[in-house]
């Protein structure tokens, strides 16, 4: 992994076996980025996708692996209690299943790079977006206070 800051944004190149979400959170901690948005593309080999099921109040998890084209990565980082950074990440992947081209997408728990991922991290300027816990869903949402 390597990254550079140009202007207000960080440009991150991830390499084989890097885990995307934890790497973004590590960079935010190192660079004191308290809230940000990010997007990216790449070639990945493993992803854990979660779908929230409102009726049960829990997430179902699916793992996909193989040659996964990361065609869209979008997410944010916010500051929660005790100044801990949290992510909310969604992604879409294309992959082949025999002769068929397929897609998989959803809320991401983890993504492992196969050969590269290119991420733009855009810190929030002029303030910080915090995380507010929501007991109904067991997750956190943006809090502007």
């Amino acid at each position: 992994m390597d990254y550079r800051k140009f202007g207000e944004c960080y440009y991150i190149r991830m390499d084989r076996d890097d885990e995307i979400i934890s790497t973004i959170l590590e960079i935010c901690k190192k660079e004191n980025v308290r809230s940000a948005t990010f997007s990216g593309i790449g070639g990945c080999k493993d992803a854990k996708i979660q779908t929230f099921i409102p009726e049960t109040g829990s997430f179902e998890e699916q793992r996909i692996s193989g040659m996964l084209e990361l065609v869209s990565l979008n997410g944010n980082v916010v500051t929660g209690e005790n100044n801990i950074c949290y992510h909310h990440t969604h992604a879409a992947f294309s992959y082949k299943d025999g002769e068929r081209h397929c897609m998989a997408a959803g809320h991401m728990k983890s993504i492992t790079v196969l050969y590269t991922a290119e991420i733009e991290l855009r810190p929030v300027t002029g303030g910080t977006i915090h995380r507010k816990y929501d007991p109904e869903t067991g997750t956190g949402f943006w809090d502007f206070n």
Side-chain angles (χ1 to χ4, degrees):
M1 182 273 298
D2 194 11
Y3 70 95
R4 298 286 187 277
K5 184 176 183 184
F6 298 110
E8 295 297 317
C9 296
Y10 294 88
Y11 295 87
I12 308 162
R13 187 207 66 237
M14 294 191 202
D15 303 312
R16 181 180 303 273
D17 297 326
D18 288 342
E19 198 288 312
I20 291 174
I21 296 168
S22 62
T23 301
I24 290 170
L25 292 174
E26 287 172 21
I27 292 169
C28 286
K29 183 177 179 180
K30 180 179 178 183
E31 298 292 336
N32 198 32
V33 173
R34 308 310 302 154
S35 49
T37 59
F38 57 88
S39 60
I41 56 174
C44 300
K45 66 179 180 180
D46 187 74
K48 291 181 183 172
I49 302 172
Q50 296 179 316
T51 301
F52 184 71
I53 309 301
E55 296 79 18
T56 64
S58 62
F59 284 90
E60 287 184 1
E61 189 173 294
Q62 174 189 6
R63 181 176 178 209
I64 59 172
S65 58
M67 176 55 229
L68 308 172
E69 286 290 345
L70 176 57
V71 296
S72 178
L73 173 74
N74 292 287
N76 63 64
V77 174
V78 296
T79 302
E81 302 78 23
N82 301 319
N83 285 327
I84 296 172
C85 286
Y86 294 89
H87 76 95
H88 186 184
T89 306
H90 288 210
F93 300 90
S94 66
Y95 61 95
K96 286 195 72 176
D97 182 6
E99 293 301 312
R100 296 181 321 124
H101 287 270
C102 302
M103 295 288 297
H107 177 85
M108 302 310 302
K109 184 171 183 180
S110 67
I111 308 167
T112 304
V113 174
L114 176 61
Y115 58 88
T116 193
E118 299 164 341
I119 313 295
E120 179 186 37
L121 176 67
R122 298 171 300 280
V124 171
T125 58
T128 300
I129 301 171
H130 296 277
R131 179 179 186 256
K132 181 178 181 179
Y133 179 75
D134 177 52
E136 181 180 347
T137 62
T139 61
F141 299 114
W142 281 5
D143 182 13
F144 300 109
N145 294 320

